[in-house]
Amino acid sequence: MTTLPPAPRPVASFFRGVADLGRGFAFWGRLPGAMALGLIPAAIVGILLLAGIITLVVFLGDIVTALTGFVDGWSDLAASLVRFGIGAGILGGAIVLAVVSFTALTLLVGDPFYERIWRAVEAHLGDAPPESDYGFWRSVGDSVGLILRGLLAAIVAGLIGLIPLVGTALGAVVAAFLTGWLLADELTSRAFAARGLDAVARRDLRRTDRARVLGFGVATQLCFLVPLGAVIAMPAAVAGSTVLARTLIDAKAAIGQAGDTTAPRRRRNGA
């Protein structure tokens, strides 16, 4: 009797998602020309966002001082803790927004480059989907949506960062997971959309193995935090997301086939 595949274990699936990003990096050796082109838009957007973060850091002390006039009469220790928490929250939120905005803006600016990477990876893996025009305005809509969701994630991370003592560390963890999910969501959209899957179907596919999707996204986000990591990792993230999307589609198909095979037998046994 055919049985359904066992449910994936969250921890193991999370690290499989990390490995999917590693498979994306492996395409540097298989498709060096296409991957190298993906460095151009990533470098342009990365330089602009890095300049913005540096500017924020330079003026962060003045911003925090302006926002925390209410602690002027407090003890030095209490005032320092509050100012540190608010400063960390602002900086953490800005980094979350920058990471998400980097992906959205880079995919928008470099759409022709990443289109080439995606098609090359699909062709390399075999059974590539038919030609599908992702469309400039669709890219714009997806980018705006990602930035808005990133802004919400930045606000959440920033507010959590205000919690005394544990806020900074907890905010960083929440930011990593929220941003990771958003990155994986956006990066896998092209491979899903090319197969005619709408937003609901794409969301359902990601939910079949949330841990794997999250592992890929968190690993990508951590790479983006390394100096120059975002530029180098972006082509690999596009390639790895294609591998991840195809894996989720194949797993869903396998579950469907198993269900179709067992259903008639269950009806006959019940007859």
Side-chain angles (χ1 to χ4, degrees), residues 68-151:
T68 56
F70 61 91
V71 303
D72 288 343
W74 297 11
S75 67
D76 290 343
L77 177 60
S80 296
L81 287 175
V82 170
R83 287 186 172 122
F84 177 80
I86 291 177
I90 292 173
L91 183 59
I95 291 174
V96 170
L97 183 59
V99 169
V100 176
S101 299
F102 170 82
T103 303
L105 294 174
T106 303
L107 289 175
L108 179 62
V109 173
D111 184 69
F113 301 95
Y114 298 121
E115 172 84 8
R116 182 171 177 176
I117 293 175
W118 169 71
R119 292 198 182 282
V121 173
E122 290 278 13
H124 179 86
L125 296 175
D127 297 325
E131 293 289 323
S132 175
D133 183 14
Y134 198 67
F136 172 76
W137 291 112
R138 181 170 187 171
S139 296
V140 172
D142 288 347
S143 297
V144 171
L146 180 59
I147 292 173
L148 291 176
R149 287 182 292 163
L151 178 60

Side-chain angles (χ1 to χ4, degrees), residues 4-244:
L4 293 174
R9 296 180 179 180
V11 175
S13 287
F14 182 90
F15 285 102
R16 289 192 189 100
V18 175
D20 287 328
L21 179 61
R23 295 185 183 94
F25 275 104
F27 279 95
W28 272 106
R30 298 166 186 164
L31 305 168
M35 297 289 281
L37 286 175
L39 296 175
I40 299 173
I44 294 172
V45 175
I47 290 171
L48 293 176
L49 290 178
L50 180 60
I53 292 295
I54 292 174
T55 302
L56 175 63
V57 171
V58 170
F59 292 101
L60 185 59
D62 294 336
I63 295 172
V64 171
T65 299
L67 293 175
T68 56
F70 61 91
V71 303
D72 288 343
W74 297 11
S75 67
D76 290 343
L77 177 60
S80 296
L81 287 175
V82 170
R83 287 186 172 122
F84 177 80
I86 291 177
I90 292 173
L91 183 59
I95 291 174
V96 170
L97 183 59
V99 169
V100 176
S101 299
F102 170 82
T103 303
L105 294 174
T106 303
L107 289 175
L108 179 62
V109 173
D111 184 69
F113 301 95
Y114 298 121
E115 172 84 8
R116 182 171 177 176
I117 293 175
W118 169 71
R119 292 198 182 282
V121 173
E122 290 278 13
H124 179 86
L125 296 175
D127 297 325
E131 293 289 323
S132 175
D133 183 14
Y134 198 67
F136 172 76
W137 291 112
R138 181 170 187 171
S139 296
V140 172
D142 288 347
S143 297
V144 171
L146 180 59
I147 292 173
L148 291 176
R149 287 182 292 163
L151 178 60
L152 179 60
I155 293 172
V156 172
L159 291 176
I160 292 175
L162 299 179
I163 300 175
L165 301 180
V166 300
T168 302
L170 185 59
V173 173
V174 171
F177 279 79
L178 287 177
T179 307
W181 184 265
L182 292 177
L183 292 179
D185 185 332
E186 177 65 20
L187 287 166
T188 54
S189 290
R190 184 183 294 277
F192 288 149
R195 291 168 170 83
L197 301 174
D198 59 17
V200 174
R202 297 197 297 267
R203 184 171 61 248
D204 290 342
L205 269 173
R206 294 184 190 101
R207 288 177 176 175
T208 60
D209 199 344
R210 291 185 179 91
R212 186 165 188 162
V213 174
L214 191 60
F216 171 81
V218 170
T220 301
Q221 190 255 1
L222 293 178
C223 285
F224 285 2
L225 297 179
V226 177
L228 295 179
V231 176
I232 298 172
M234 190 63 192
V238 173
S241 67
T242 305
V243 175
L244 172 61

